[in-house]
Amino acid sequence: MKTLLLTGFEPFLGMPINPTERIVKALDEETIGAYQIKSVLLPVDFEKAPDALLEAFHQVNPDAVVSLGLAAGRDAITPERIAINIRDGAPDNKGVVLEDALIAAEGQDGYFSRLPIRKMVNKLKENGFPANISNSAGTYLCNNVMYTMLHYIDKENLQIPAGFIHVPASHDLVVEGKKRMSSWSQRDLEEAIRICLQCLSEE
Ligand code: PCA
């Protein structure tokens, strides 16, 4: 059986919930297609998140890596096409604010996802879930984690699928966070991610 490292994030920017934390907890140890899921939660911390990701990678020694993040305000599941070598924008959970900072001094400007993102979008839609490819993962922690994994895989010449999927807010987040935005049920978010992960076994 192959192993898939699935990462989610803790809550951030004052929001009470991060639905990706609940998704990765729900899917931990499940078998989806050819893969057994090993879930890890990452901190929203520019200094710690890349190390936490690579440490999990070395511990789990996975055959595939899929990272998840919340994109509050989006209304669809959005596999990301590309990660860019920039950290910029809102403060992380330690209050650190970065501006125009590189992620890796010797890294490429960007790395394309190694996930079957078109297939994921098509499969999601076939199952009745709104989905589209996103052409920007932003410049915050999600982009940072996607870039870190793809840069490492490129440097080490590994041949494994890896990439990032942003998800919309959950109903719970909207109710508890008292902010108006598009939201999905937690159950649908989990089902949609199962469908995405299933695509890795149909390559
Ligand atoms: N979303 C943020 C960071 C953590 C998360 O779940 C992002 O899109 O960068």
Side-chain angles (χ1 to χ4, degrees), residues 121-131 184 188 192 195:
V121 164
N122 291 343
K123 259 271 150 65
L124 286 164
K125 288 185 188 161
E126 273 168 33
N127 282 275
F129 290 119
W184 285 34
D188 279 355
I195 290 167

Side-chain angles (χ1 to χ4, degrees), residues 8-21 42-45 68-72 90-94 140-142 166-167 173 179:
F9 275 111
E10 65 183 6
F12 63 105
L13 288 176
M15 288 182 273
I17 289 171
N18 191 329
T20 68
E21 176 171 3
L42 298 176
V44 177
D45 181 317
L68 306 177
L70 164 68
D92 71 8
N93 282 353
K94 277 225 202 86
Y140 193 50
L141 263 300
C142 291
H166 262 122
V167 308
L173 170 55
K179 284 231 172 73

Side-chain angles (χ1 to χ4, degrees), residues 146-197:
M146 180 179 178
Y147 185 95
T148 298
M149 198 67 254
L150 292 170
H151 176 54
Y152 181 83
I153 286 172
D154 182 64
K155 227 175 38 183
E156 300 294 317
N157 222 346
L158 304 175
Q159 302 302 320
I160 64 171
F164 200 95
I165 304 171
H166 262 122
V167 308
S170 58
H171 297 329
D172 301 341
L173 170 55
V174 170
V175 171
E176 286 186 39
K178 302 190 181 75
K179 284 231 172 73
R180 290 178 64 169
M181 59 187 149
S182 181
S183 62
W184 285 34
S185 73
Q186 187 66 35
R187 207 179 43 195
D188 279 355
L189 289 174
E190 288 168 16
E191 199 44 40
I193 294 306
R194 283 192 187 94
I195 290 167
C196 290
L197 301 184

Side-chain angles (χ1 to χ4, degrees), residues 39-187:
S39 294
V40 169
L41 192 69
L42 298 176
V44 177
D45 181 317
F46 281 114
E47 195 191 325
K48 288 202 178 137
D51 288 348
L53 171 70
L54 293 176
E55 197 183 308
F57 183 87
H58 290 121
Q59 240 167 41
V60 172
N61 192 22
D63 303 288
V65 185
V66 176
S67 294
L68 306 177
L70 164 68
R74 284 194 193 166
D75 55 10
I77 302 290
T78 49
E80 296 293 342
R81 195 190 300 273
I82 188 166
I84 60 173
N85 193 5
I86 279 291
R87 294 175 294 171
D88 189 287
D92 71 8
N93 282 353
K94 277 225 202 86
V96 172
V97 180
L98 296 171
E99 197 176 62
D100 305 333
L102 293 178
I103 295 170
E106 83 296 2
Q108 283 177 203
D109 291 343
Y111 293 101
F112 284 120
S113 176
R114 291 170 174 250
L115 298 178
I117 55 174
R118 180 64 63 192
K119 185 182 222 171
M120 287 176 171
V121 164
N122 291 343
K123 259 271 150 65
L124 286 164
K125 288 185 188 161
E126 273 168 33
N127 282 275
F129 290 119
N132 45 264
I133 291 175
S134 162
N135 293 310
S136 174
T139 54
Y140 193 50
L141 263 300
C142 291
N143 174 69
N144 195 340
V145 156
M146 180 179 178
Y147 185 95
T148 298
M149 198 67 254
L150 292 170
H151 176 54
Y152 181 83
I153 286 172
D154 182 64
K155 227 175 38 183
E156 300 294 317
N157 222 346
L158 304 175
Q159 302 302 320
I160 64 171
F164 200 95
I165 304 171
H166 262 122
V167 308
S170 58
H171 297 329
D172 301 341
L173 170 55
V174 170
V175 171
E176 286 186 39
K178 302 190 181 75
K179 284 231 172 73
R180 290 178 64 169
M181 59 187 149
S182 181
S183 62
W184 285 34
S185 73
Q186 187 66 35
R187 207 179 43 195

